[in-house]
């Protein structure tokens, strides 16, 4: 398990906007992270009615960012390479609001394609094995 202090400096998300809490497992293609930030009152994505499930796409995108950063670090790269989320596809939501769910969310991402210009990931977010959201996220890396 990798605590947030081990990888948070590798991604551009900071403070309360860093939504993931820990990485339980990762390999060359996949990552499994957890988060309890969906229930926090200071969640920056939370609206007046709570945290809408559409925001779970950001959880999936952040898992992809952490995965890419961990892979880069494993290759010896020390600087964070910025990325921009440019597309969400095939997003499916199985709940409307998720802030009332107790315990942690499981956030999974799988790299479908990656090169120097960007990456595409499939993601899914679950609560106690029950699907909450899934889809694909595309990220580009702007020219340096």
């Amino acid at each position: 398990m990798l605590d947030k202090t081990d990888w948070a400096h590798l991604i551009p998300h900071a403070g309360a906007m860093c939504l993931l809490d820990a990485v339980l497992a990762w390999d060359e293609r996949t990552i499994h992270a957890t988060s309890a930030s969906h229930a926090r009152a200071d969640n920056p994505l939370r609206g007046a009615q709570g945290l809408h499930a559409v925001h779970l796409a950001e959880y999936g995108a952040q898992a992809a960012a952490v995965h890419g950063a961990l892979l880069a670090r494993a290759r010896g790269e020390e600087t964070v390479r910025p990325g921009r989320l440019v597309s969400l596809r095939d997003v499916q939501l199985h709940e409307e609001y998720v802030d009332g769910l107790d315990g942690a969310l499981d956030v999974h991402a799988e790299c479908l394609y990656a090169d120097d210009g960007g990456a595409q990931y499939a993601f899914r977010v679950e609560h106690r094995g029950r699907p909450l959201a899934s889809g694909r996220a595309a990220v580009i890396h702007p020219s340096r």
Side-chain angles (χ1 to χ4, degrees):
M1 182 172 102
L2 299 175
D3 187 64
K4 183 184 275 192
T5 57
D6 187 51
W7 48 263
H9 65 284
L10 299 173
I11 61 173
H13 314 87
M17 195 56 204
C18 186
L19 301 171
L20 305 177
D21 296 327
V23 172
L24 297 183
W26 71 281
D27 60 28
E28 189 72 22
R29 294 194 53 83
T30 65
I31 188 167
H32 176 191
T34 62
S35 175
S37 69
H38 66 288
R40 295 183 190 134
D42 70 340
N43 186 310
L45 302 177
R46 188 181 182 124
Q49 294 181 328
L51 183 67
H52 196 280
V54 73
H55 296 298
L56 295 178
E58 177 64 22
Y59 285 70
Q62 286 193 23
V66 173
H67 184 256
L70 291 173
L71 287 173
R73 182 170 71 181
R75 291 189 302 267
E77 298 173 28
E78 297 297 324
T79 58
V80 177
R81 186 164 184 204
R84 289 196 182 111
L85 179 63
V86 293
S87 173
L88 292 171
R89 305 262 185 200
D90 300 325
V91 175
Q92 295 183 18
L93 305 176
H94 302 281
E95 293 286 329
E96 188 170 6
Y97 290 92
V98 297
D99 51 290
L101 300 173
D102 63 332
L105 302 180
D106 289 296
V107 184
H108 300 270
E110 177 185 3
C111 183
L112 303 174
Y113 174 82
D115 65 15
D116 286 339
Q120 186 172 110
Y121 278 81
F123 68 88
R124 76 180 188 283
V125 182
E126 302 173 340
H127 179 256
R128 298 185 176 165
R130 187 170 51 96
L132 299 176
S134 62
R136 288 182 293 133
V139 175
I140 61 166
H141 299 293
S143 300
R144 294 180 193 206

